[in-house]
Amino acid sequence: MKNLNTIVFLFIVNLCINSHAASHSFEIKGNIYGTIYKVIIEKSNLKDKKKIKNEVNSVLNKINIIASNYDENSELYKFNKNKSENFINVSKELYEIVNKSLYINQITDGYFDISLNTLKKEYGFYSPKNTYRNNKKNIAYTALMDKITLHDKNFQIKKFSSNIELDLSGIAKGYAVDQLYQALKLYSPSFLINIGGEIRVHGNIRWPIRIDDPSSKSNYSKIISLKNMSIASSGRYKNFIKKDNKELSHIFNPKTKEAKKKKNLLISVIHKDCSTADALATALLAMEEHDVIQFANNNNIAVIYISYEGDKKISEESELFKKYTKD
């Protein structure tokens, strides 16, 4: 089944599970959004296991039916096909995702832009064969704020042009993690949520998290330690198309309307909530590479940047990221 994410991260950020896991712990895992998810519950009443599993499935399926780019029955799909330029009623969840997207767009100087869905389709990223369909888009940059707006009292969104379509794949998975986090707090004081590498942890445990090397040339790049925080990653080496013998990634520079070149490049962001970390990782990947760490330091963001130039590995960390390093 096709789901809300066009990019599939199979545990780009992996959990290193300690051997001292409590006896009152269990895992729930499966497939969702085109990737793998795992939830580790500790210090929970095992009698609640079935109830917790049902809660997990309910939350994950709910976000999918809201934010999927592919499902014709999803709220986002119907919103995108709606040609009205009046305010459109939406669910609380869709409103929150778009509202957070506007905020991240603002603080990243426009580099996180959810209004590129039509452009991505023209490039062929939603085509089964992932083939290029169009030439460079010579269109002047338009700020996201000038494309959509939110009603400040009701759950409503307005398009300023009928052909605007939203793509929430850069934030919806992180939002799903956050929604699951709120649900699980009712059942356990300590747990970890991992949806395809978007992770949030809760409780007094310090969880060791491994950030994988995007080149697959080594077992891992970095181990960090998280407590009551989230980490999300975005890369330019998984989802790409070929054009004139060039490989173009799914990440676009919103200001040039151009797809960034495919590269062994990974950016991970640590933040309190996972939706913010998810969106920031996507935004930083759209920036010029030499600006990433400087932007992170200027804005007090915990970021690690890992890339390869041939066989040469380049790894940089922002000042805030270094406080989470385990080794």
Side-chain angles (χ1 to χ4, degrees), residues 53-295:
K53 186 174 182 178
N54 290 336
E55 186 75 25
V56 168
N57 289 331
S58 176
V59 171
L60 295 180
N61 290 329
K62 181 178 182 180
I63 302 306
N64 187 59
I65 200 62
I66 289 171
S68 172
N69 284 323
Y70 300 100
D71 190 340
E72 294 184 4
N73 294 314
S74 79
E75 183 178 10
L76 177 63
Y77 189 94
K78 293 176 180 177
F79 176 87
N80 284 341
K81 296 304 177 184
N82 192 327
K83 299 302 181 182
S84 173
E85 295 180 18
N86 298 317
F87 277 105
I88 300 171
N89 293 318
V90 299
S91 66
K92 174 178 178 288
E93 290 79 9
L94 184 58
Y95 183 94
E96 288 179 345
I97 297 172
V98 174
N99 190 35
K100 174 63 72 71
S101 298
L102 287 166
Y103 168 71
I104 302 298
N105 174 268
Q106 184 177 15
I107 66 173
T108 60
D109 191 30
Y111 279 100
F112 183 71
D113 193 328
I114 59 173
S115 68
L116 303 178
N117 195 61
T118 302
L119 181 62
K120 289 182 178 181
K121 287 197 295 186
E122 291 174 347
Y123 265 76
F125 278 99
Y126 300 145
S127 168
K129 296 182 179 180
N130 266 18
T131 54
Y132 187 87
R133 295 178 181 176
N134 208 345
N135 294 318
K136 177 181 175 182
K137 305 297 290 184
N138 294 311
I139 303 173
Y141 171 68
T142 304
L144 180 60
M145 307 289 185
D146 295 328
K147 296 178 183 177
I148 57 172
T149 189
L150 303 181
H151 196 288
D152 60 358
K153 294 182 179 179
N154 300 321
F155 298 136
Q156 295 179 324
I157 306 173
K158 178 180 178 179
K159 305 178 187 181
F160 290 114
S161 175
S162 61
N163 63 354
I164 290 172
E165 294 187 4
L166 305 183
D167 174 11
L168 304 179
S169 58
I171 189 173
K173 192 165 52 164
Y175 181 82
V177 170
D178 290 338
Q179 291 295 293
L180 202 50
Y181 170 87
Q182 294 299 331
L184 292 178
K185 284 174 64 177
L186 302 176
Y187 296 96
S188 172
S190 181
F191 54 83
L192 175 144
I193 304 165
N194 181 346
I195 303 181
E198 318 298 51
I199 295 173
R200 186 166 181 173
V201 299
H202 178 63
N204 290 323
I205 297 175
R206 284 201 170 275
W207 299 83
I209 308 293
R210 188 181 78 220
I211 301 175
D212 282 357
D213 189 331
S215 71
S216 300
K217 295 180 180 179
S218 62
N219 290 329
Y220 69 89
S221 289
K222 181 72 66 174
I223 292 180
I224 61 171
S225 178
L226 292 186
K227 180 179 178 182
N228 294 319
M229 296 293 286
S230 301
I231 183 168
S233 301
S234 190
R236 292 210 327 240
Y237 57 96
K238 286 288 186 180
N239 188 10
F240 60 93
I241 59 172
K242 292 186 178 181
K243 160 65 175 171
D244 297 332
N245 295 320
K246 295 180 181 179
E247 294 176 324
L248 302 176
S249 81
H250 71 294
I251 299 294
F252 281 72
N253 181 333
K255 303 191 179 192
T256 64
K257 302 295 193 299
E258 291 183 311
K260 306 286 282 190
K261 293 180 181 179
K262 179 200 174 226
K263 187 177 182 180
N264 283 331
L265 171 61
L266 172 72
I267 290 176
S268 296
V269 175
I270 298 172
H271 196 273
K272 184 176 181 180
D273 66 86
C274 200
S275 57
T276 298
D278 194 6
L280 284 174
T282 303
L284 291 170
L285 209 58
M287 292 182 183
E288 295 302 317
E289 294 168 30
H290 55 77
D291 293 333
V292 171
I293 297 301
Q294 181 178 345
F295 179 88

Side-chain angles (χ1 to χ4, degrees), residues 295-307:
F295 179 88
N297 285 331
N298 290 343
N299 293 277
N300 202 33
I301 303 172
V303 174
I304 185 171
Y305 167 106
I306 306 169
S307 70

